[in-house]
Amino acid sequence: MATNVILLSFLLLTILSSTNAFNIEEATIDDMQLAFTKNQLTSLDLVQFYIGRIHRLNKVINGVIEINPDAMHQAKKADKEREYKCPGGLHGIPILLKDNIGTKDKLNTTAGSFALLGSVVPRDAGVVARLRKAGAIILGKASLSEWAHFRSLNAPDGFSPRGGQGKNPYVLSADPCGSSSGPAISTAANLVAVSLGTETDGSIICPASVNSVVGIKPTVGLTSRAGVIPVTPRQDTIGPITRTVADAVHVLDAIAGFDLNDAGTKPASNFIPKDGYKQFLNHHGLKGKRLGIVRNPFFTVGSGAAHAQDFEYHFQTLRQQGAILVDDLEIANIDAISNATQSGEAVASIAEFKIALNAYLKDLVVSPVRSLADVIAFTQKNGDIENIDKFGQEIFLAAQATNGIGDIENAALSNLAKLSNEGFVKVMQDNKLDALVTPGADISPVLAIGGLPGITVPAGYDNKGVPFGITFGGLKWAEPTLIEISYAFEQATKIRKPPSFKP
């Protein structure tokens, strides 16, 4: 019965979205901007459509935590501005932010936890300030795995006490992945035009992959982390989750760049192309590109093995589009890299988390908690709403037990750098590769420990209808090349389809 209601609501929404001259559902940013200029659409139309859709569908998929009470006002302002100028880009386009990205407005920033409900940030996060400057409408906050999945090993992907359990809109019983589950769910289900997520290790590329959307994990430092609830600044990065590569690039163009409040972004100015990233949306972007394939372990186990036939077809498509595939490569010590304990990623990250979170909490204007120790105490005291008995908080406790960056942590950091340089970086350089092609998010620890970029694009659906993606990973600052590759692949395959909300 519940399934029939969901499907009926989905059909009704589809009909409603098509009643006007312009069909909002699945529309791209370029579609919307063109409709603005033809007076077929307003920003207020968009906001009203998405809010209506959130009210109807969010009870099923839990992709959104809060709607911005100022979204209508921002939309009217954008429509008024459009009367005397034609700004384009993200101007007047609604965007959802993962609930660990700070906004100095009426929205909360809580990482999905009641511990931060009512806290007040000192300023917009760096990426939010850039979005506002571009004229984007902050529609609200998207759900996530609580604390970016850094509280407990046992909590399910996409769950937070404030947001509930996020659901994959293609198959509701399937894993939505995380921790940027809400941005991926919401964008896939057309609850918003575009969204912004964060990644420490897999948190953009994994939910993008399983929710059939595009995710860009930028080089660490290309986008500001200032004002974002941290895990570790060494690996944290902020990136777009959208339905198309072009839309992701529109967002990346708006958010990339130096921020005085994030020293890690200083090198970015030297690598951002003069005319931005949109120039690399090239239909022939695969021609002459050297793409590496590491069969073991990426295509012998996991999603690569499960969808082997699909990926062989994709390899053929890449060749047909002019790419040169360099097959049967190996990444040195890949087993160690893929094991957070063995690589040292876990040891380094928990120590860095404590330092970074304490600094973030201390900087808040108002907050019920001012340190990791306070968060642990709150979670224990409010175990009923924070689900302490179900999921615990062992990562928090392990982080609190650390005491800065000492010999053990420094040894772990050295090992991570060595593993990255002698593994992924070496295979890329020795074979003169433009990118490595891998299934889904299987490569996420490889990219994470090196601060490396990756782009995930829809690659197919299994026999139950659950999506899977393909990821193109590259060396630092390789975004222009990765955009060319991923866009050309997307245009050659056009695999994405709207979700069906199967049980």
Side-chain angles (χ1 to χ4, degrees):
M1 182 68 177
T3 302
N4 290 336
V5 171
I6 293 166
L7 290 173
L8 185 61
S9 297
F10 172 65
L11 289 170
L12 179 62
L13 285 165
T14 302
I15 293 166
L16 289 173
S17 70
S18 305
T19 53
N20 297 324
F22 180 78
N23 186 3
I24 295 174
E25 188 178 346
E26 291 291 300
T28 66
I29 290 173
D30 288 338
D31 292 336
M32 293 173 188
Q33 291 295 349
L34 182 61
F36 288 155
T37 63
K38 291 183 174 181
N39 295 319
Q40 294 176 331
L41 181 72
T42 66
S43 293
L44 188 59
D45 291 335
L46 284 176
V47 168
Q48 289 174 332
F49 171 79
Y50 289 131
I51 288 177
R53 198 166 170 92
I54 290 167
H55 286 320
R56 291 179 183 92
L57 282 179
N58 199 55
K59 64 187 78 171
V60 178
I61 55 178
N62 288 328
V64 180
I65 285 185
E66 287 186 36
I67 296 172
N68 187 356
D70 292 331
M72 295 281 200
H73 171 73
Q74 290 179 24
K76 290 174 185 177
K77 182 184 174 188
D79 289 335
K80 193 71 178 172
E81 289 171 349
R82 205 176 296 114
E83 291 177 5
Y84 57 87
K85 62 179 181 179
C86 300
L90 290 185
H91 185 272
I93 303 297
I95 184 168
L96 278 172
L97 310 174
K98 186 178 178 181
D99 184 43
N100 58 351
I101 300 173
T103 52
K104 184 72 170 173
D105 54 17
K106 294 173 185 174
L107 290 165
N108 285 287
T109 305
T110 68
S113 171
F114 286 103
L116 281 174
L117 189 61
S119 63
V120 177
V121 300
R123 65 193 72 84
D124 278 335
V127 289
V128 175
R130 284 181 171 271
L131 288 171
R132 292 197 200 275
K133 186 178 179 182
I137 296 166
I138 308 303
L139 184 64
K141 294 292 178 76
S143 61
L144 73 167
S145 305
E146 188 190 19
W147 294 104
H149 224 321
F150 216 74
R151 174 190 130 181
S152 165
L153 295 170
N154 300 318
D157 288 333
F159 174 81
S160 72
R162 285 199 65 222
Q165 178 60 60
K167 300 288 186 69
N168 188 313
Y170 287 85
V171 178
L172 298 172
S173 57
D175 191 341
C177 206
S179 64
S180 301
S181 48
I185 291 166
S186 300
T187 305
N190 284 275
L191 303 188
V192 72
V194 292
S195 63
L196 208 58
T198 70
E199 175 152 334
T200 305
D201 187 337
S203 290
I204 289 175
I205 60 177
C206 186
S209 177
V210 302
N211 290 283
S212 200
V213 285
V214 173
I216 297 183
K217 173 202 182 294
T219 301
V220 171
L222 180 62
T223 55
S224 173
R225 288 78 49 82
V228 177
I229 299 171
V231 175
T232 162
R234 179 178 49 80
Q235 293 183 193
D236 290 348
T237 187
I238 320 302
I241 297 177
T242 62
R243 290 184 290 274
T244 68
V245 175
D247 280 359
V249 170
H250 276 295
V251 178
L252 185 64
D253 269 332
I255 64 173
F258 174 64
D259 181 0
L260 280 169
N261 294 312
D262 182 355
T265 59
K266 192 172 181 181
S269 303
N270 299 320
F271 295 97
I272 296 174
K274 182 183 176 184
D275 296 319
Y277 292 103
K278 287 191 288 291
Q279 62 188 299
F280 301 103
L281 296 171
N282 177 6
H283 280 81
H284 306 291
L286 280 163
K287 192 172 183 180
K289 296 295 192 298
R290 291 177 60 83
L291 307 180
I293 300 171
V294 175
R295 295 276 175 178
N296 186 17
F298 299 124
F299 295 97
T300 56
V301 295
S303 60
H307 309 299
Q309 189 173 344
D310 296 280
F311 281 104
E312 289 302 327
Y313 178 79
H314 291 327
F315 294 156
Q316 187 59 31
T317 299
L318 293 170
R319 290 187 187 98
Q320 288 170 352
Q321 295 297 313
I324 301 160
L325 270 57
V326 185
D327 208 341
D328 295 316
L329 299 175
E330 292 183 4
I331 295 177
N333 300 304
I334 186 62
D335 290 340
I337 293 169
S338 301
N339 185 318
T341 302
Q342 196 174 342
S343 69
E345 183 183 3
V347 168
S349 295
I350 59 171
E352 292 164 331
F353 172 68
K354 180 182 178 181
I355 296 166
L357 184 64
N358 283 346
Y360 172 87
L361 296 173
K362 186 179 178 182
D363 196 40
L364 293 174
V365 177
V366 175
S367 179
V369 289
R370 289 291 182 182
S371 66
L372 174 57
D374 289 349
V375 176
I376 290 170
F378 178 95
T379 305
Q380 191 64 50
K381 183 180 178 181
N382 298 277
D384 54 339
I385 58 172
E386 286 288 325
N387 291 269
I388 189 75
D389 291 337
K390 258 189 177 182
F391 306 131
Q393 53 179 336
E394 65 272 24
I395 299 177
F396 276 0
L397 294 171
Q400 181 59 24
T402 64
N403 188 27
I405 305 299
D407 291 343
I408 293 172
E409 290 79 15
N410 278 319
L413 291 169
S414 295
N415 192 51
L416 288 169
K418 183 181 179 184
L419 287 171
S420 185
N421 289 330
E422 294 181 359
F424 183 85
V425 173
K426 188 174 190 301
V427 78
M428 289 289 291
Q429 291 176 341
D430 286 355
N431 294 279
K432 297 181 173 57
L433 300 178
D434 292 294
L436 204 67
V437 186
T438 53
D442 295 0
I443 198 173
S444 67
V446 177
L447 301 180
I449 67 169
L452 305 165
I455 301 180
T456 296
V457 181
Y461 304 86
D462 69 14
N463 57 10
K464 294 181 180 178
V466 179
F468 59 92
I470 187 169
T471 299
F472 302 99
L475 295 172
K476 285 184 178 181
W477 316 111
E479 280 81 1
T481 301
L482 296 181
I483 289 165
E484 285 191 313
I485 292 167
S486 58
Y487 180 74
F489 174 81
E490 174 197 53
Q491 294 303 302
T493 55
K494 294 191 175 178
I495 287 165
R496 177 184 154 73
K497 57 186 177 183
S500 51
F501 303 91
K502 294 177 182 176

